[in-house]
Amino acid sequence: MTVVTETPLAQRVTGKPRVIVTRRLLPETEARMDELFDVTHNPDDVPMDRDALIAAMRECDVLVPTVTDRIDGEMIAAAGDRLGLFANFGAGVDHIDLAAAWARKIVVTNTPSVFTDDTADMAMALIISVPRRLPEGSRMLLDGNWTGWGPSNFLGTSLGGKRLAIVGMGRIGQAVAHRARGFGLEVVYHNRHRLPPAIENMLGARYEPDLDQLIADADILTLHCPASTGTHHLLDARRIALLKPSACVINTARGDIIDEEALIAALQNGRIAGAGLDVYAREPSVDPRLLALPNVVLMPHLGSATVEGRGAAGLRLIANIRFWIDGHRPPDQVLEGWA
């Protein structure tokens, strides 16, 4: 039986804490957790429903959720008194009602930074793929419809000299800007706070304080802001109408940052040239109208899907739990005002 002594920001647990993990992690992460904690894993990797999550929260000291687990205030209220830590596997914590967790004095941690390069790589892959029509070309070949090279066949648009508009200039946005310079893209960004001049100069990025103007001038618009009430449908029908007909939209952040209905309508009627999406409004469901569009590159939320990134996240996850059970503030504790 664990004995818990409260401290201002954490809990000191004597003995192995009870930990429940909602999804399958890398084998080496699970093996290390087995050594340190009293763990229940999810070997079938089936997402837990609402009732299962509530039951888990009632019987553990630490819950390890992921982006697939929606944990609202009512669920947290029903969790009981034992739960002390949400050790989230992943950087985003918009799937957890943070205010409700903090009100119950439940600590929330995440695993920031470890997926920055991987997500930026995915964004660049989409930035390249949409203008150059890579999936369309691959589909033509696989379907047996390619009749050979021709000087006017299957033309895309080049990247050099085009304006890449970045919304959200945190770690991932900056990593995308760094990569974009190598492709000759002009980088313009919008952010809640302007970056220091030294970072702007290093990235070759120009600040645009007016989001609508940034969107209107974009050749490629890429979204890298966190999901919050303030960014829900940030790219709505009105703002989509500001885009050039030749522009394309890239999203590797969160699906509900875009009004998906408005985006589909713009793609269907040719109002914009294309889109590259790794996230969706109702994951894992993808709107069949998106699947039918030839000018859209669709990926199954693979931005962070690398062995290196997921392994590093596992190490951060374990460190956060160990700090918490030792009565110290975890290094990746999510504090009020995070969003």
Side-chain angles (χ1 to χ4, degrees):
M1 181 175 180
T2 59
V3 178
V4 177
T5 303
E6 292 188 359
T7 66
L9 292 172
Q11 291 180 338
R12 182 178 296 278
V13 179
T14 302
K16 288 187 175 183
R18 182 84 173 92
V19 179
I20 296 180
V21 185
T22 67
R23 298 298 299 270
R24 186 73 186 268
L25 304 180
L26 291 185
E28 53 266 37
T29 301
E30 294 184 342
R32 182 57 175 153
M33 293 181 76
D34 286 336
E35 294 173 356
L36 297 169
F37 317 126
D38 174 14
V39 188
T40 296
H41 298 290
N42 183 352
D44 296 327
D45 202 32
V46 177
M48 300 170 70
D49 62 20
R50 184 183 182 88
D51 290 340
L53 285 168
I54 292 174
M57 288 190 285
R58 286 174 173 166
E59 62 181 64
C60 68
D61 302 301
V62 180
L63 186 77
V64 179
T66 72
V67 68
T68 62
D69 304 305
R70 293 289 170 182
I71 302 173
D72 59 38
E74 290 183 2
M75 298 168 68
I76 292 172
D81 297 328
R82 181 171 184 175
L83 180 69
L85 173 64
F86 286 119
N88 187 64
F89 184 88
V93 289
D94 51 289
H95 53 290
I96 301 171
D97 187 328
L98 296 178
W102 292 327
R104 293 286 305 275
K105 301 189 185 304
I106 299 172
V107 174
V108 181
T109 62
N110 63 347
T111 58
S113 305
V114 295
F115 299 134
T116 296
D117 286 333
D118 296 330
T119 305
D121 288 345
M122 178 58 70
M124 279 307 305
L126 294 172
I127 288 167
I128 297 166
S129 295
V130 177
R132 294 303 305 270
R133 304 172 65 185
L134 299 188
E136 291 177 80
S138 178
R139 190 177 305 115
M140 173 187 286
L141 192 148
L142 293 172
D143 290 344
N145 296 325
W146 185 47
T147 58
W149 182 88
S152 60
N153 292 350
F154 219 75
L155 301 180
T157 57
S158 61
L159 294 179
K162 300 298 191 301
R163 179 168 295 176
L164 176 67
I166 300 176
V167 180
M169 204 62 158
R171 287 183 292 264
I172 296 173
Q174 291 180 42
V176 170
H178 177 72
R179 287 156 172 75
R181 292 190 69 181
F183 288 87
L185 286 157
E186 176 193 354
V187 177
V188 184
Y189 76 97
H190 176 84
N191 201 45
R192 285 182 298 178
H193 306 290
R194 184 171 182 174
L195 297 176
I199 296 179
E200 288 185 344
N201 291 336
M202 178 184 71
L203 297 174
R206 177 173 63 83
Y207 178 63
E208 173 52 71
D210 187 333
L211 178 58
D212 286 356
Q213 190 63 54
L214 178 95
I215 291 170
D217 293 340
D219 294 307
I220 303 169
L221 176 68
T222 184
L223 304 176
H224 300 288
C225 44
S228 67
T229 54
T231 61
H232 180 75
H233 286 186
L234 181 76
L235 189 63
D236 57 10
R238 182 187 70 81
R239 286 192 168 125
I240 289 172
L242 297 175
L243 286 162
K244 302 174 184 177
S246 58
C248 61
V249 174
I250 308 298
N251 189 12
T252 59
R254 285 291 187 266
D256 61 5
I257 294 174
I258 298 177
D259 181 342
E260 204 167 86
E261 284 290 328
L263 178 67
I264 290 170
L267 290 163
Q268 286 178 327
N269 62 29
R271 177 63 192 78
I272 61 175
L277 307 175
D278 189 40
V279 290
Y280 308 91
R282 289 171 291 278
E283 290 186 24
S285 175
V286 178
D287 194 298
R289 293 172 294 174
L290 284 173
L291 298 172
L293 288 166
N295 55 339
V296 180
V297 181
L298 304 175
M299 300 300 295
H301 204 147
L302 294 181
S304 64
T306 67
V307 172
E308 295 85 354
R310 298 283 167 87
L315 294 175
R316 295 287 284 268
L317 168 73
I318 292 169
N320 284 323
I321 297 174
R322 296 187 72 180
F323 268 75
W324 178 80
I325 64 176
D326 286 341
H328 304 298
R329 173 183 284 181
D332 300 314
Q333 181 169 349
V334 178
L335 303 176
E336 293 190 53
W338 177 86

